[in-house]
Every structure is written in C-alpha cells, then in structure tokens.
Amino acid sequence: MKQIGKPFLQLITLVLSLLTLASLLVGIIGVVIYLSFSGVNLPSLKEEAVVAQMIEKPVSRSLMDPAGIWTAPAWSKVDEEPNAEVIKYGRELIANTSEYLGPNGKVRKISNGLNCQNCHLQAGTVPLGNNYSAVASTYPKVRGRSGTEEDVQSRINGCFQRSLNGEALPNNSKEMIAMVAYMNWLGQNVPKGEKPIGAGIYEIPLLDRAADPIKGKIVYDKECVACHMTDGQGLAKSDGSGYTYPPLWGEHSYNQKAGLYRMSRFAGYVRANMPFGATYENPILTDEEAWDVAAYVNSLDRPTRDFPNDWPDISKKPIDHPFGPYADEFSEQQHKFGPFKPIKEAIAKLK
C-alpha cells in the first residue's frame, strides 16, 4: 500500500499544480481581453524593444563630437625628426618650465613657478585643453591685443610675462628655439591658415545672469580644494622646483593681464578639463558651475602688471575683457562678471 500511495500522492500534487498554473494563465488572458475591450492600448513587442533600447542607451555628455577632433602626433616617432633633440627639449620646457626657468630655475630665473602645461595640458596636447595644435598654422597673425602682427616667439613671451608673471626670453635663446620647434612639430599636419577641431579652449555658452563668486566658492570647496587647497596656493614640490598642483591666486599665480583672467577663458577651460579626471568627453562641472567658480577664483587677489600698449583699438576688446575703457556703455563690472548676452547683442547691432 505504501508503495502505491506515494506515486498517487505525487500525481495528485502534479495535477493540482497544473490546475493552478492553468488558472493563472486564464486570469492573465482575461485581464488582457478586458483591457483591450476597455480601449487600453497594450505595447507591442516592437514598442517594448524600442523602449528598452532607449532606456539602455547611455546619454552622451561630451562637449564635442570626438569624430575628426585633433590628436597630437605620436611621440614615439619624434626620433625620426632631424631636430628630434631640440623638439624633446622644447617639450621638457613646456612640461617642467619652473625647473628650468622658475624662481629656482637651473637655466634662468624669470618666472613665477608655474609650468606652461598648467594652462596647456599635457604639454599642449589635450583636445580643448588649450593645446598648441593651431600655433604653427595660424602664426604669424595680427592680434587685437597688440594691434600688430605677432610671431610665435611674441606669443610665447606674452605667456611668460602674463601667465607666468615673468620676463621675456630672447628669441635666439636655446629655450625659445626648442619651444617653437616643439609647437611646430605638434602642428605639422595642420594646413596653413586652418584651426583644427578641438584647438584651444571650449567656447562655453553664455549665462543669462552674471557669474556669481559666492556660488563659485561652494563649487571650489566641493571640487577644487583637494588639489589647489583651501587657500588656493596649490601643492608645491618638496624640492622647490615648482608645483604638483598650481596656485590659482596669490603672488605665485597668473597676473591680471593673463588670458585666464577673462571669465569665459577660465570657465571654458575648467568646463572641459576640471576637476582632476574630467575631460571634454566626460565633463564633471555644469556650465553654471564653471562660470561661477571662474568668478570666485578671478575675484581674488593676484599680481597686476601694466601693459600700456594693449588694445590700441578698444573696439577690439573681447566682451569679457575685465578692464576699461570700452567702446560701449556697459560697466567694467558687467564686462568682468556678466551678464554678457546684452553686451554681445549691443555690439552686434552696431555691425
């Protein structure tokens, strides 16, 4: 009896399970039929697939389409150049400027301790990282700031006097020749007169309001202090040869006539490259955060320097040039912090 009863119980259990499953199926079919007759449109398999695809597809946050963007020549091939050693020295000077030309420089003592690559990332090779891709193709050229035609050497010395708050290099010096050779090598594949995609600094959209230093301090405290410290003085190297992370204000930072003292330049630079780990393909800050942190950093004390021959034609000044006089009626405060759209619109009406 026991041998017969066990299979019988298993059979009963199976039958009950099948009946339960059948009841569930009938219930589901009944609900579907009811919803259909009630006018509710159920998604088709095709629609479900489209929805799933939309959910799974990541949204790109890139500031620029990577297709066609400039990339630096392969450094591994530099030895093929007849002036390879000169190019290599030029790159070394860009990457470690202070070691050679800083306050304790082993060649000259003519700058503030910053390196060129603090503003021109990875020795001027990063897309939208203020790279040197267009230097060889666009210089010499007439610049509004000087009102004259400038060659590459003049442009480099402009950086030494403003961003590095130092002195000019002689054009015939070994160091100047090397830096020019390196920049020419970087731009070797760019046709004359052209500016490749990804050159320079990201052109950040204008805000509808003024950039706010108070909001910018919140951004700075959250995103920037890890490298640049609470006091903004960065992290100095123990051997005194420069900085691992540069000071953003104070006596060892760029002066008030440097390009990054313009709000749009600083904001565009940090939008695509800061804080550490950000790239133009995966930015971290929003447009507003970038503008506000630029306002905070550039509202703090830094060296000033007089260049009396700048902007002989004041109508050529950029809308965010922070020092008057101007060819329009907007205040110096608005030219520094914005909002910039009204200035841009007023200038456009005069053209």
Side-chain angles (χ1 to χ4, degrees), residues 61-79:
R61 300 171 64 238
S62 182
L63 301 176
M64 181 176 286
D65 186 350
I69 204 162
W70 176 82
T71 56
W75 185 246
S76 60
K77 295 188 176 182
V78 71
D79 284 325

Side-chain angles (χ1 to χ4, degrees), residues 75 78-79 83-93 178 181-182:
W75 185 246
V78 71
D79 284 325
N83 62 338
E85 294 307 312
V86 178
I87 294 170
K88 288 179 182 179
Y89 185 45
R91 186 187 187 282
E92 174 67 11
L93 289 166
Y182 173 65

